[in-house]
Structures are given as C-alpha cells and as structure tokens.
Amino acid sequence: MGAVYKNLLKPLFFKLDPERAHELTVDSLRVMRAIPGLSRFLGVFNQLPSAAKPVEVFGVSFPNRIGLAAGFDKNAVCWEAFEAFGFGHVEIGTVTYKAQPGNPRPRLFRYPQHDAVLNRMGFNNHGAQFVAARLAKQPGPGERRIPLGVNIGKSKVAPLDKAVEDYLGSFALLADHADYVAINVSSPNTPDLRKLQEESRLRELLGELVAANAAREASKAGSRKPILLKIAPDLTDGQVDDIVQILHDLKLDGIIATNTTMAREGPFEEINQAGGISGRPVCEMSTKMIARIAKLTEGKLPIVGVGGITDPDTAAEKLDAGASIVQVYSGMIFEGPLIAKRVAKRLAADSGDL
Ligand SMILES: Cc1cc2nc3c(=O)[nH]c(=O)nc-3n(C[C@H](O)[C@H](O)[C@H](O)COP(=O)(O)O)c2cc1C
C-alpha cells in the first residue's frame, strides 16, 4: 500500500490542483467510511497489535501515539476512515460558529522540494451547527474506535471583542461530540486571530471556556471535556512563558504545538505566497517549542506535538522533546497515509507500549 501511494496515487494527485486532489481524497474516504466494517477491517493490518498498551493522556485513551492534525477533515465527513491506516485519533475542524467559505482559491500550494505545504484556506467550513448535527449521527464518545478531537476557531465575521461569545457558541454545540476540544488561536489566515494569543485576551477567552466546561458538568448537561490550546510556532519565548502560566492558572488539559508558520527563513524564503507553511520547514521550530514547554512545565502539561513529521524519526524527536502524542498532516501528503502505521509502531516501541 505504501508503494501504491508513492508510485500510483501520488503522481496522479500531484498532477492535480492541490485543493482538487484534497477534495477527491475526502470524497474517496467518505465512500470508504460508508462501507460497514471496511476501515475497521483494514485497521486490523495497520493498527498496533491489540496487546499494545493504550496511551492515556488528559483523561482520553488513545490506541497509539499518532493522530491526524486539524484541517484535513474540516466538516467531519470522513474521519472514521483514518483508523484503516493506523491513525490513533483524528482532530476535525477548524469549525467556526458561523459557516464560511474561506479565502478565494487558489489557497493551497505544495512545495515538494521542501516537503512543505502552504495554505491560506481561511477556515472554510460548514459551521458548528451543521457539523454538530453530522456528528450526532456518528458514533459518539465512548462508542468510537479512535478518539475524536474537535478544533474550534473564530468566525471571520466575529470582531475580536466578540470572539469569546463566538467560541462559546461553538463549544456549546460541539463539546458533547468531542473526546477533547482544541481551541485554535494560531491559524495565520483569519485576520486578528493570532491576537487571541496575547496575554489578557487569552486569559479571558480560556477562562470563559473553562467556566462553560465546569458549568456543563455541574448542571449535568454533559461531562467535562479536556480542553487544549493550539499555538503558533512563531511566538516569542516571552509569549510562550505567558501562555504556559495561563494554562497552569486555568488548569487547562494540554497544549497542541504547533500550527503553521509565517516565517520564511533560510532555504524557505523562496516560498513567497501569503499563508502558513507546514511540513519540513516547521519541524525544528515546533520541536524546539515542545522542548521549551516541557521544560517550563516540568513535563506536567500534556503536549500534542505537531509540525513537520515526515517519518518515524521526526515523530520520535517530538516525543523525546516532551510530547505525549503527535499529529501529522503535510507529511501524509508526501509520504501517504501509512506514515501513521510506521510512526505508531516506532513510537510504541520507543515508549514501551508494546
Ligand atoms: C491545508 C492545511 C489546512 C490546515 N487547516 C487547519 C485548521 O483548520 N485548523 C488548525 O488548527 N490547523 C490547520 N492546519 C495546521 C495543521 O493542523 C498542523 O498544525 C500544521 O500543518 C503542522 O503540521 P504538519 O507539518 O504535519 O502539516 C492546516 C494545515 C494544512 C496543511
């Protein structure tokens, strides 16, 4: 199957416009998901042996240490199919409270010479209500074979001073369906979004979400969900210090490091389109940030490591730096979906999960 991707599917996909290739892939996976038992059957060959120890992080039990990062399945149409390739979780979204079309096309570009992708999608998605209705028809928390994270972000139409209400609206609609909720304040393609990483704004936003989460539990309207913050790799050390302090004060469940980068340094400066870069250019930045967070928190805050994983070695570096689990997106475009199986095996062996 690895060879099928490299020799057959990848050359075909790479002839197509990147977003068209993405849509075709999502459509194929949607069909695959709809065939009863197929993803589960294929997963038997690609998941870890059943004797492997599940990985318990922030109260969620993962069958292995690699998941699919946010941005691939924005509307929760095909995520269950990823079990087939060995993924141990999927993060859907980013979902915004209001449905929105995203930025004009073209907005997705590949740089195979750098194992890099650039996107300025701008949170194209069907909106929280629509996605919640779809998730309500799918297996819910506790009934799933691989956990599901729901990543939420700010609607483009919501001004910065209404961002809290906007996130709270999405949280209220989607939390029931999530095994964890990721708060995205780090995508570069929504004007002002990254300003929510600033100290006072972030404290307010996360404080309100934590309060809403506690209220769910107290009112028995639902259980408390793990809340994680997803950050950019372009933060200064001082900003990371502030963020870690906020997460500690508010007892957040974890951090996802990192999103795409705005930096264009060294060999990557030729990538001169507007948007966020992912894949190899972000790998070292993200690993360094993981190491810094792990040091600041003395390893006590669970870290989901993401950014530039292209093989088992780059994934293992994230665990060595302090991540508990990892995610991949761009690496899958260049290496195929079975990258998950290879990474899961290596991380399980390194961590003594087998
Ligand atoms: C096409 C594309 C779309 C993305 N969309 C989102 C998104 O909607 N929300 C989000 O939090 N991250 C999004 N990301 C960022 C990824 O989740 C991930 O953090 C980043 O790409 C680094 O990982 P990678 O190098 O393995 O791709 C997107 C990435 C790509 C390539």
Side-chain angles (χ1 to χ4, degrees):
M1 174 69 192
V4 173
Y5 183 79
K6 276 237 149 129
N7 299 322
L8 190 71
L9 294 176
K10 185 175 165 187
L12 281 176
F13 283 149
F14 275 48
K15 282 203 179 73
L16 297 174
D17 161 72
E19 190 161 355
R20 186 71 202 113
H22 175 76
E23 288 165 345
L24 273 176
T25 311
V26 171
D27 286 347
S28 312
L29 293 170
R30 185 205 292 252
V31 172
M32 185 171 150
R33 178 201 155 258
I35 300 172
L38 180 60
S39 305
R40 183 175 180 180
F41 170 73
L42 295 172
V44 170
F45 302 100
N46 296 325
Q47 289 280 345
L48 296 177
S50 55
K53 273 189 271 171
V55 184
E56 308 287 336
V57 201
F58 46 81
V60 178
S61 181
F62 295 87
N64 66 51
R65 293 183 189 262
I66 180 146
L68 179 68
F72 184 91
D73 188 4
K74 291 187 185 263
N75 296 304
V77 298
C78 64
W79 65 272
E80 289 168 280
F82 282 87
E83 177 189 3
F85 309 110
F87 283 88
H89 75 277
V90 175
E91 189 172 307
I92 60 145
T94 292
V95 184
T96 55
Y97 186 61
K98 302 270 188 201
Q100 54 187 44
N103 290 323
R105 298 185 189 205
R107 52 191 181 178
L108 179 59
F109 306 85
R110 305 182 197 99
Y111 295 87
Q113 69 278 31
H114 295 306
D115 289 332
V117 171
L118 178 142
N119 91 84
R120 51 168 176 271
M121 307 299 287
F123 292 165
N124 52 311
N125 79 103
H126 295 160
Q129 197 137 25
F130 187 95
V131 174
R134 179 172 280 147
L135 286 171
K137 293 187 209 134
Q138 299 174 2
E143 303 160 357
R144 295 174 176 148
R145 302 185 53 76
I146 55 173
L148 181 74
V150 177
N151 177 308
I152 60 176
K154 185 180 83 63
S155 311
K156 190 174 181 193
V157 293
L160 209 50
D161 61 357
K162 293 276 183 290
V164 172
E165 284 125 281
D166 193 71
Y167 278 88
L168 285 172
S170 296
F171 184 78
L173 288 166
L174 291 163
D176 271 345
H177 307 291
D179 289 298
Y180 71 87
V181 179
I183 309 301
N184 183 7
V185 287
S186 50
S187 288
N189 306 309
T190 294
D192 288 344
L193 186 84
R194 286 184 171 200
K195 289 192 181 154
L196 291 168
Q197 294 177 128
E198 289 164 11
E199 217 252 321
S200 63
R201 287 202 173 97
L202 188 63
R203 198 175 278 281
E204 187 196 354
L205 172 66
L206 295 180
E208 293 286 343
L209 285 162
V210 165
N213 204 16
R216 279 167 55 82
E217 193 170 34
S219 69
K220 306 256 186 311
S223 60
R224 188 190 165 281
K225 297 288 172 166
I227 299 182
L228 283 77
L229 181 72
K230 183 164 180 181
I231 60 167
D234 306 319
L235 298 167
T236 63
D237 286 353
Q239 284 174 307
V240 176
D241 294 354
D242 288 347
I243 288 174
V244 164
Q245 186 63 49
I246 296 169
L247 301 194
H248 177 264
D249 295 346
L250 295 173
K251 299 191 176 61
L252 240 77
D253 298 274
I255 189 160
I256 306 175
T258 66
N259 214 310
T260 55
T261 181
M262 298 296 282
R264 306 283 192 269
E265 270 138 39
F268 310 114
E269 63 191 17
E270 67 170 28
I271 305 179
N272 59 5
Q273 296 262 8
I277 297 182
S278 52
R280 192 156 50 84
V282 85
C283 189
E284 203 183 316
M285 305 171 78
S286 121
T287 306
K288 277 191 182 150
M289 192 158 278
I290 292 164
R292 186 174 167 78
I293 297 164
K295 193 165 167 225
L296 285 169
T297 59
E298 294 167 349
K300 290 192 185 111
L301 181 71
I303 303 170
V304 180
V306 50
I309 291 177
T310 46
D311 56 19
D313 284 347
T314 41
E317 283 162 21
K318 300 261 190 275
L319 248 56
D320 290 345
S324 299
I325 55 173
V326 300
Q327 295 178 335
V328 63
Y329 185 164
S330 305
M332 181 178 72
I333 297 175
F334 298 110
E335 300 299 321
L338 286 179
I339 187 175
K341 175 186 184 174
R342 294 194 293 276
V343 168
K345 263 178 131 174
R346 164 70 178 277
L347 299 186
D350 285 4
S351 314
D353 302 335
L354 291 174

